[in-house]
Amino acid sequence: KQEVTQIPAALSVPEGENLVLNCSFTDSAIYNLQWFRQDPGKGLTSLLLIQSSQREQTSGRLNASLDKSSGRSTLYIAASQPGDSATYLCAGMDSNYQLIWGAGTKLIIKP
Amino acid sequence: GAGVSQSPSNKVTEKGKDVELRCDPISGHTALYWYRQSLGQGLEFLIYFQGNSAPDKSGLPSDRFSAERTGGSVSTLTIQRTQQEDSAVYLCASSLDTGGDYGYTFGSGTRLTVV
């Protein structure tokens, strides 16, 4: 059964720092991978989608990579800002086209 | 519409009452998904639709939960005889299809509180 682990569970860093969030899968048979952010009391906002034929995606200060062979994905946030504070979730699509979710990393950027 | 719309945004109901939650997906999105997120927990898959059919109902927690989708568009999730453990945020997402080449777009959710 596919399981997703996100490390760290929580992270607090000063504004301006670069940081990396990690996501790993027990089964490397991941079709695609999507990173989301969730603000308190709000829904999910899609950040980046890495499709089956891709290895990474970039959007502004965000870069996500996927290594299927090792079952790992990372989300890199450059020059962090207080507005980046949120919970970040990764979700991998399995062979049944179902999303398998990590528990999230709660990120706090201190001004 | 421009995004996935869910209504109501908040619902407080008495234990034992029935509730209906509505999801209006992005126009043209054939795939629609329902998830539940309990306080401090991860997302729990409930059900998905491809068009009007629901190939996988395995995630529904009990027979008190049902969902339908008509016209390949709006979906309703119905919870009968609500219990306190049904309190959660119910999230709906849509995608162009279930094939995995397209990402999911989520609505803002319905926060259900059973008292």
Side-chain angles (χ1 to χ4, degrees):
Chain A
K1 178 184 174 184
Q2 178 72 271
E3 293 183 357
V4 180
T5 302
Q6 289 192 244
I7 295 174
L11 181 63
S12 180
V13 301
E15 179 179 6
E17 283 199 8
N18 303 325
L19 55 99
V20 175
L21 308 181
N22 297 288
C23 176
S24 62
F25 302 81
T26 53
D27 183 345
S28 61
I30 292 293
Y31 189 76
N32 67 22
L33 186 133
Q34 196 163 2
W35 282 92
F36 297 86
R37 68 173 280 169
Q38 185 172 33
D39 295 278
K42 301 288 181 63
L44 296 164
T45 301
S46 177
L47 297 174
L48 292 164
L49 167 68
I50 305 176
Q51 294 181 339
S52 58
S53 60
Q54 299 171 334
R55 292 181 63 98
E56 69 174 323
Q57 281 288 319
T58 298
S59 176
R61 295 180 294 106
L62 305 180
N63 175 274
S65 65
L66 174 62
D67 182 349
K68 290 186 178 181
S69 62
S70 64
R72 293 181 181 179
S73 177
T74 60
L75 178 67
Y76 176 82
I77 302 177
S80 57
Q81 302 172 358
D84 296 332
S85 297
T87 296
Y88 289 78
L89 296 159
C90 68
M93 181 171 285
D94 66 13
S95 55
N96 295 317
Y97 303 120
Q98 294 301 308
L99 282 185
I100 311 299
W101 294 85
T105 294
K106 184 174 182 179
L107 177 65
I108 297 174
I109 307 298
K110 297 175 288 187
Chain B
V4 178
S5 178
Q6 291 188 248
S7 61
S9 55
N10 280 285
K11 176 72 175 179
V12 180
T13 190
E14 292 181 352
K15 178 181 174 181
K17 295 285 181 68
D18 298 351
V19 294
E20 262 192 14
L21 312 180
R22 175 188 168 108
C23 173
D24 197 347
I26 291 174
S27 178
H29 280 197
T30 61
L32 185 147
Y33 303 80
W34 284 99
Y35 288 87
R36 177 169 73 173
Q37 188 175 34
S38 301
L39 186 63
Q41 302 296 312
L43 273 76
E44 176 187 3
F45 169 76
L46 298 178
I47 190 171
Y48 86 92
F49 290 89
Q50 177 60 36
N52 291 333
S53 66
D56 185 358
K57 300 181 180 179
S58 63
L60 294 176
S62 74
D63 58 9
R64 296 186 294 105
F65 287 71
S66 63
E68 66 174 13
R69 187 180 187 195
T70 55
S73 182
V74 173
S75 175
T76 54
L77 177 68
T78 302
I79 308 173
Q80 295 178 310
R81 306 181 302 282
T82 52
Q83 303 294 313
Q84 288 185 330
E85 61 262 30
D86 299 334
S87 297
V89 176
Y90 289 81
L91 292 164
C92 174
S94 71
S95 180
L96 274 171
D97 68 24
T98 56
D101 289 329
Y102 306 96
Y104 288 28
T105 302
F106 277 81
S108 299
T110 294
R111 182 174 297 277
L112 175 66
T113 304
V114 182
V115 298

